Amino acid sequence: MKIVTQVKLVPEADQAAALRSTLRTVNDLANWVSDVAFVNDVPREYDLRRHTYAHLKSEGLGAQAAQHVIKKVRDAYTTLHANLRAGNLGKPGSKRRRKAESKPITFRPEAAQPYDDRCLSWQYDTQTVSIWTTAGRIKNVRFACSADAFKVLQHYRKGESDLIERDGIFYLTATCEIPEAETYEPDRFIGVDLGIVNIATTSTGYQAEGRGLNRYRKRQLALRSKLQKKRTKSAKRRLKERSRREQRHVKNTNHIIAKTIVTEAERTSAGICLEQLKGIRQRVRLRKPQRVALHSWAFAQLGDFIVYKAKRAGVPLVFVDPSYTSQTCAECGHVDKRNRVDQRLFICRKCGVVAHADRNASHNIATRGETVWNAGRESRVPATP
């Protein structure tokens, strides 16, 4: 299982200047390579290298750095073409699609630059790195991270690392290959119902309310709007300082929720059943005031956190179709859209059971999870007579 571990670099003033200059140079050259790829419609990395490698070397890039710049550009175009084929950028002829197809891909001055082990080495005993720059290789660049992240780096780091500058601070994101724990046989399944009012509700009674997070987001939205209207230098500085603060808050909240769910499942030898919510933004139609809440909530992020934490702990995990789970009675199985009286209340029209709507849905998800798990274990080979 691959995960990404991030560390913060703590360079001296001259080291920071060299790192900043390196990122500006490689991204400027990446923009030039992107122009060449767009104009010549170069389909393969080998052909793109033939057009650009000599020029990159003449601009002072090392052999490996030049290769990484070319590969970064080629990967960006591969992703763009995949999104176009999948229709993620709109239908043919749409404004968004024409805009994406009509100009070359551009890279920000502080965009990430990949490094392999020939351009970057880690010294764990002194907690420093040695890294290639356009001013030469600089050594003894200190880095800081948590104790857990440091342990993961020491034992499981494998592959490339990316150098990133964010708000004047440099980070290294390293790919780590962590072995998955052996999955145990679950005694039961915990169904997890995801939502906006209640971020997550489990069939065992755990409920992560979204009221506080929604209030926080509303305050942040109002503050951003107020600062944007001022258009002063101080307002722009405040906006820049507050950038990504909401993302960090939401990410931390999702980490806490995911850890709570996985820990409970591991403690009780249970499996976890999640809803398959892919494409929910395209499927659900909402009124305009509700769209902001739906499109700003990180459905996929919380699911991804639960998945990777479950794999590390060896907790069995299945995905099920969430259709009609909020309209189905968990006691008798009766399906009726009138069963869902409002956002919180569920009353079955057949058996009369009264329950919390999200709790009822989580029980249905757990039941479907057990069915999927058992079906996957059944042999499809006919028994020998």
Side-chain angles (χ1 to χ4, degrees):
M1 178 180 63
K2 289 184 179 180
I3 67 168
V4 175
T5 301
Q6 179 176 277
V7 301
K8 178 182 176 181
L9 294 181
V10 191
E12 303 292 339
D14 56 334
Q15 294 173 339
L19 293 173
R20 187 169 292 109
S21 175
T22 299
L23 282 181
R24 301 297 185 274
T25 301
V26 295
N27 284 304
D28 285 343
L29 291 171
N31 287 328
W32 175 81
V33 174
S34 179
D35 291 339
V36 173
F38 181 79
V39 171
N40 296 283
D41 192 22
V42 181
R44 296 189 306 164
E45 185 179 334
Y46 175 80
D47 296 328
L48 186 58
R49 189 182 299 119
R50 185 162 51 84
H51 281 82
T52 59
Y53 181 76
H55 177 75
L56 294 178
K57 288 284 290 181
S58 68
E59 290 292 325
L61 294 191
Q64 288 303 117
Q67 301 280 19
H68 283 306
V69 168
I70 295 169
K71 187 176 184 298
K72 178 169 74 170
V73 174
R74 187 62 257 165
D75 288 346
Y77 275 99
T78 300
T79 302
L80 173 63
H81 294 153
N83 284 326
L84 291 173
R85 287 194 301 270
N88 296 333
L89 298 176
K91 298 179 181 179
S94 65
K95 182 177 179 181
R96 185 182 178 193
R97 188 181 181 111
R98 281 189 282 107
K99 184 178 179 181
E101 293 174 322
S102 62
K103 60 181 182 179
I105 293 174
T106 57
F107 297 87
R108 294 174 290 104
E110 67 277 6
Q113 173 65 13
Y115 282 79
D116 60 18
D117 288 341
R118 284 169 283 189
C119 303
L120 173 70
S121 60
W122 300 75
Q123 290 79 45
Y124 299 113
D125 51 346
T126 58
Q127 204 161 321
T128 60
V129 296
S130 170
I131 187 169
W132 172 88
T133 69
T134 52
R137 195 171 186 105
I138 56 176
K139 301 180 179 180
N140 300 322
V141 182
R142 294 183 295 117
F143 68 87
C145 61
S146 67
D148 289 340
F150 185 73
K151 184 178 179 180
V152 170
L153 277 174
Q154 275 187 303
H155 294 91
Y156 304 115
R157 189 192 65 80
K158 186 177 182 180
E160 294 182 350
S161 303
D162 287 346
L163 174 66
I164 304 171
E165 182 186 1
R166 189 183 301 137
D167 297 334
I169 301 174
F170 295 95
Y171 299 90
L172 279 173
T173 57
T175 304
C176 300
E177 189 79 36
I178 297 181
E180 296 182 13
E182 185 178 352
T183 304
Y184 55 80
E185 186 65 29
D187 296 334
R188 60 192 176 93
F189 271 85
I190 297 175
V192 182
D193 179 66
L194 303 178
I196 295 175
V197 176
N198 295 311
I199 300 175
T201 304
T202 69
S203 54
T204 56
Y206 171 70
Q207 187 176 76
E209 292 188 2
R211 187 182 306 168
L213 184 58
N214 290 331
R215 282 201 303 262
Y216 174 81
R217 279 180 160 161
K218 192 174 180 179
R219 287 198 305 270
Q220 295 299 313
L221 181 63
L223 179 58
R224 284 197 302 270
S225 178
K226 183 179 178 181
L227 291 173
Q228 286 166 353
K229 287 179 181 178
K230 288 188 174 182
R231 298 185 179 181
T232 60
K233 287 185 178 180
S234 60
K236 291 177 181 178
R237 187 173 62 251
R238 289 279 306 277
L239 280 170
K240 187 175 181 181
E241 290 172 354
R242 300 185 69 85
S243 66
R244 288 184 291 275
R245 182 175 295 185
E246 182 179 335
Q247 293 180 14
R248 292 195 298 270
H249 182 77
V250 172
K251 186 176 181 180
N252 181 64
T253 302
N254 284 337
H255 266 301
I256 293 172
I257 296 172
K259 185 175 181 180
T260 302
I261 293 172
V262 172
T263 302
E264 181 182 8
E266 184 182 16
R267 179 179 58 82
T268 58
S269 299
I272 297 175
C273 183
L274 294 175
E275 303 168 279
Q276 183 60 264
L277 295 176
K278 187 175 182 180
I280 188 172
R281 288 175 172 83
Q282 288 74 34
R283 296 198 311 266
V284 178
R285 292 188 177 185
L286 297 170
R287 293 189 299 272
K288 191 172 182 179
Q290 297 173 305
R291 292 175 196 165
V292 175
L294 175 68
H295 290 277
S296 63
W297 192 77
F299 287 97
Q301 187 186 75
L302 177 57
D304 289 343
F305 287 171
I306 294 174
V307 168
Y308 99 80
K309 291 178 189 294
K311 286 183 177 179
R312 290 190 67 177
V315 176
L317 183 74
V318 294
F319 285 88
V320 298
D321 182 6
S323 302
Y324 304 107
T325 51
S326 61
Q327 301 175 12
T328 304
C329 177
E331 296 293 330
C332 67
H334 178 64
V335 183
D336 191 334
K337 65 180 181 180
R338 295 175 299 174
N339 288 346
R340 183 76 178 260
V341 178
D342 55 30
Q343 192 278 321
R344 299 186 61 183
L345 185 60
F346 181 94
I347 303 177
C348 181
R349 295 277 173 168
K350 184 177 181 180
C351 67
V353 68
V354 179
H356 189 285
D358 293 339
R359 182 76 59 77
N360 176 78
S362 67
H363 282 292
N364 289 325
I365 293 169
T367 302
R368 292 187 184 184
E370 291 181 7
T371 303
V372 170
W373 179 264
N374 292 329
R377 292 190 305 164
E378 291 176 359
S379 173
R380 298 290 184 254
V381 181
T384 335

